[in-house]
Amino acid sequence: MWPLLGPAFVTAVAYVDPGNFATNISAGSAYGYLLVWVVVVSNLMAMLIQYLSAKAGVATGLSLPALCREHLPRRVANGLWGQAELVAIATDLAEVVGGALALKLLFDLPLLVGGTITAVVSFVVLGLKGRSHRRFETVIIGLLGVILVGFAYDVAISGVDSMAVLDGTLPRFAGMDSVMLAAGMLGATVMPHAIYLHSALTSERLHARTEAERVTVMRSQRVDVVVAMTVAGLMNLSLLLVAASALSGQGIDTIEEAHAGLGDALGTGAALLFALGLLASGFASSSVGTLSGQVIMEGFIRRHIPVAARRLVTLAPALLVLALGVDPTAALVGSQVVLSFGIPFALVPLVWFTARRDVMGSLVNRPTTTAAGIVVATAIIALNGVLLWQLAS
């Protein structure tokens, strides 16, 4: 089973990107441990959605974009491709801005310089995939490890109240503002590019030719998804717990404020590890975002362009935003709005395809799995609608 593990860890990067840093820090600093349950619920949703994406790739040998091209009318598929390209650009914007912020916090580099460095490093990391899937996955897992170690240290010294954490697992709110923040946390959990990418990674790596091989592969993917999403969930939970214990009541709204607050409350070591984790997140998620952009183009329109050219397509808007001096937090929020619009266009086809026996064969969803997928997709879409309404009002 060991050689089959890895794809879920690559897509898990989407769940600890700079956008997640901002939402979890805001939740913990504003409401303490109140919204712990939101992290738990969102992580369970992520497990189901990423498992369905992995299964679609194994069963069909195609990515989700390729399945859309094969089974949907051309106009519909082309429309989905157009919005998916916007998703890829918005994804890169969030990751590059996050990396630029980290380099500014660590070395006081201008945001444009930091964004350029993030783009170059992520390009180098992505280049490893051309040589070996395992080498690329190892680097991504290593960057996730940097984030996890830093968060674990911050949690250990922050004096987390274990009874308050347990109490926070009970679903409840404290006014409309907490409802809106919970909607933002839940709605921003499942990212469209992670859904597209996971199906591509399993379809190109895991070729099951017999029924016995399919059983073995899917068993490995269940383990892969559960472990990877659990790690990602622990990282998000750690962020919220650190903010709840060290920054509670401060109403932190930006990553820069969180960094400064952690330095004041826990010392320079904690602030340094937070910034290093943000940098690792920016490097890893930017690489994964570019890879998902390739999957989108190859799947929807059967066009392959060099990685460098693809990188420039999605990188240019991010660098332009930094060059114009746009507030980085505002840029992160704007990118999340675009990603929120893209979620239904990935989730609905995923649930529909995995419920069809003519597409999935013996790996078709059980009725209970399809029902759970519909419930999760409906909840995420509805919560993103609440988030968009909040941002527009």
Side-chain angles (χ1 to χ4, degrees):
M1 186 179 293
W2 171 250
L4 303 179
L5 303 180
F9 282 90
V10 175
T11 55
V13 169
Y15 296 90
V16 288
D17 71 352
N20 291 92
F21 274 65
T23 56
N24 288 303
I25 287 291
S26 296
S29 64
Y31 296 101
Y33 302 96
L34 179 71
L35 299 179
V36 166
W37 67 272
V38 179
V39 177
V40 176
V41 170
S42 63
N43 199 54
L44 294 174
M45 288 182 174
M47 285 184 183
L48 175 61
I49 296 299
Q50 295 305 141
Y51 172 69
L52 292 181
S53 180
K55 185 164 72 165
V58 172
T60 66
L62 298 172
S63 66
L64 180 58
L67 284 171
C68 292
R69 184 196 67 228
E70 293 290 331
H71 295 279
L72 297 176
R74 179 172 296 181
R75 289 185 179 180
V76 175
N78 287 340
L80 290 175
W81 170 59
Q83 66 81 32
E85 290 292 352
L86 292 177
V87 164
I89 292 173
T91 300
D92 219 11
L93 174 63
E95 324 309 16
V96 171
V97 168
L101 277 173
L103 290 170
K104 181 177 177 59
L105 294 175
L106 289 168
F107 306 109
D108 199 26
L109 293 177
L111 289 175
L112 181 59
V113 175
T116 303
I117 292 174
T118 301
V120 172
V121 172
S122 63
F123 178 76
V124 172
V125 172
L126 184 58
L128 297 174
K129 186 175 182 295
R131 299 182 179 182
S132 167
H133 289 290
R134 180 59 69 186
R135 187 177 300 177
F136 173 70
E137 292 167 357
T138 300
V139 171
I140 294 297
I141 292 172
L143 291 171
L144 286 173
V146 171
I147 304 171
L148 183 60
V149 169
F151 289 174
Y153 173 81
D154 287 352
V155 169
I157 68 171
S158 62
V160 172
D161 186 340
S162 57
M163 293 305 297
V165 175
L166 184 62
D167 185 59
T169 59
L170 178 66
R172 64 191 189 281
F173 299 101
M176 184 54 65
D177 287 342
S178 67
V179 175
M180 293 299 182
L181 185 53
M185 295 169 66
L186 276 168
T189 296
V190 179
M191 292 289 95
H193 71 287
I195 301 173
Y196 293 133
L197 179 60
H198 205 156
S199 59
L201 292 175
T202 55
S203 66
E204 70 181 22
R205 268 199 57 190
L206 309 174
H207 302 291
R209 293 176 295 273
T210 67
E211 191 62 30
E213 289 177 352
R214 290 188 181 92
V215 171
T216 300
V217 167
M218 288 315 305
R219 186 184 299 121
S220 73
Q221 293 314 290
R222 281 192 288 271
V223 173
D224 198 29
V225 168
V226 169
V227 174
M229 293 299 108
T230 298
V231 170
L234 288 174
M235 292 181 188
N236 284 316
L237 182 60
S238 298
L239 266 174
L240 189 146
L241 296 182
V242 169
S245 58
L247 307 174
S248 181
Q250 298 185 30
I252 300 296
D253 293 321
T254 68
I255 289 177
E256 297 99 315
E257 291 176 355
H259 178 262
L262 288 174
D264 294 337
L266 302 178
T268 56
L272 174 63
L273 288 174
F274 173 82
L276 287 174
L278 179 62
L279 183 62
S281 170
F283 287 165
S285 57
S286 186
S287 301
V288 170
T290 301
L291 181 58
S292 66
Q294 286 185 296
V295 167
I296 287 168
M297 179 169 285
E298 292 176 8
F300 278 115
I301 63 172
R302 291 182 178 174
R303 294 290 185 272
H304 177 79
I305 63 175
V307 175
R310 178 74 218 187
R311 192 75 184 107
L312 290 174
V313 169
T314 54
L315 175 63
L319 294 182
L320 179 62
V321 165
L322 295 177
L324 293 175
V326 176
D327 178 70
T329 300
L332 282 174
V333 172
S335 68
Q336 296 308 303
V337 172
V338 176
L339 292 173
S340 297
F341 274 116
I343 288 175
F345 300 104
L347 274 182
V348 173
L350 176 67
V351 175
W352 183 52
F353 286 135
T354 54
R356 291 177 52 179
R357 183 170 294 276
D358 61 320
V359 174
M360 299 291 292
S362 61
L363 294 181
V364 65
N365 289 343
R366 295 178 180 177
T368 52
T369 304
T370 298
I374 292 172
V375 170
V376 169
T378 302
I380 292 174
I381 293 168
L383 288 166
N384 271 278
V386 173
L387 176 62
L388 294 175
W389 174 79
Q390 175 200 15
L391 294 174
S393 62

